[in-house]
Structure formats: C-alpha cells, structure tokens
Amino acid sequence: MATKIVVAGGFGVGKTTFVRAVSEITPLQTEALMTRASEDTDDLTATPDKLTTTVAMDFGRITLDNDLVLYVFGTPGQQRFWFMWDDLVRGAIGAIVLADTRRLTDCFPALDYFESCGLPYIVAVNHFEGTELFEADDVREALTVPAHVPVVIMDARKRYSVVESLLTMVAHALEATPE
C-alpha cells in the first residue's frame, strides 16, 4: 500500500532536509538559487547561509514495511508559493508541520491550513544546533496546538529522527481516520 504525507512549514525550517534525509530514492527537488529579488520578502535572519529555496515541491519515497510505502511531499515555505498546497495535499493521509523555535510564528499558516481543511497533522519541532531545546509541551502551549495533536522534537538531518516523525504521523492519521 502506498500513501502520501505532506511536510509543510515556514521558509527555511528544514522541509527539503527532512525529505532528503529519509528518501530511499534520489529525491526530486525544485530548488532555485536565492536572489536579491527576494531580499525584501525572505527573512534570512535565522538562516543566513541559506542559498537556495524550494519553488514547487520536494518529493521522496520510503518503504516502512513490506506493505507500506510513504510518498513524502515537501511544500514550498514562502507565501508566494502557497497556491500549490491544495494540489500537493490532495490524496494525503496527513501532514507534518515543521516548526523552528527561533520563529514559531512562521508555522501558523500551515497549522491554520491543515486545521481548516481537516487533514490530520502533527507538529515536528526541528531542533537546530546551537538553539535552546524546548519541551514538546512548551511548544504545544506556545502554538496553542490541541491536546490530541502529537508534538515531537526531531532533527531533520537524521534519518532515524525523520522516520520516527513519519511513524508518529501515520499512527495519528490511523487514529484520526480509522477506516
């Protein structure tokens, strides 16, 4: 059985890294070089070394079991590309909203989107080196995430951490929509 999960969140939160870390195939990435044209739009304060950005989607695949394959789609983070989200979400069993504690407000649009469309989602806090580590309950409170929505702390660079997040999403989707 193949199923689809979407990874969303703000600009520079680690969606491309998440897909790249877990994909058993060479991931499809639609990365474009950052240019001066986006300087007024894209805040690079937290990610000053970021040179590229996703302009359409990231796509990867992981086989979790003999009978379970996940197709993982990463959304673009900038508002000017949000029009693509409806197409990327179509057919997904759930979503992972990546959060960066340095800029939690950047994930509110994704949280609002999945709440409004009724798609099960979890919040995965991508812990960046050199930043303060917060407890999942503290992030839940800061984002006002409902108690039934899992919040996990993870590292998008580490395959095992990404797999754990995906397994949490699958379990949550099964619980939310058991058919």
Side-chain angles (χ1 to χ4, degrees):
M1 178 172 83
T3 193
K4 178 180 182 179
I5 290 182
V6 174
V7 182
F11 169 70
V13 75
K15 299 175 297 291
T16 298
T17 302
F18 183 105
V19 173
R20 189 180 320 129
V22 77
S23 186
E24 63 195 18
I25 62 170
T26 301
L28 169 68
Q29 297 174 308
T30 59
E31 293 285 297
L33 286 174
M34 302 283 294
T35 66
R36 291 220 157 142
S38 69
E39 283 179 349
D40 294 335
T41 309
D42 302 327
D43 182 6
L44 294 174
T45 307
T47 55
D49 297 328
K50 187 168 178 57
L51 301 174
T52 61
T53 188
T54 301
V55 295
M57 69 174 175
D58 297 310
F59 170 77
R61 171 197 155 131
I62 180 172
T63 304
L64 291 178
D65 198 5
N66 289 338
D67 60 351
L68 181 58
V69 174
L70 295 182
Y71 295 122
V72 184
F73 287 79
T75 66
Q78 293 123 312
Q79 184 176 0
R80 62 186 175 274
F81 300 121
W82 288 351
F83 68 91
M84 302 183 69
W85 285 26
D86 289 338
D87 290 331
L88 291 173
V89 167
R90 191 171 295 118
I93 64 162
I96 296 174
V97 176
L98 281 185
D100 177 349
T101 56
R102 297 171 295 182
R103 14 182 207 135
L104 281 178
T105 57
D106 289 357
C107 69
F108 281 128
L111 293 171
D112 292 344
Y113 179 87
F114 297 118
E115 280 286 333
S116 70
C117 73
L119 190 67
Y121 68 92
I122 70 164
V123 175
V125 179
N126 188 11
H127 179 66
F128 288 84
E129 274 185 45
T131 63
E132 186 175 350
L133 180 60
F134 292 91
E135 297 294 323
D137 286 339
D138 294 333
V139 175
R140 173 187 309 284
E141 185 177 335
L143 294 174
T144 62
V145 173
H148 72 278
V149 174
V151 176
V152 298
I153 309 297
M154 52 87 63
D155 185 333
R157 299 167 301 170
K158 297 184 176 157
R159 182 179 174 84
Y160 73 87
S161 187
V162 173
V163 169
E164 287 177 353
S165 298
L166 288 167
L167 290 172
T168 300
M169 177 61 253
V170 170
H172 180 61
L174 287 171
E175 187 177 287
T177 53
E179 297 107 40

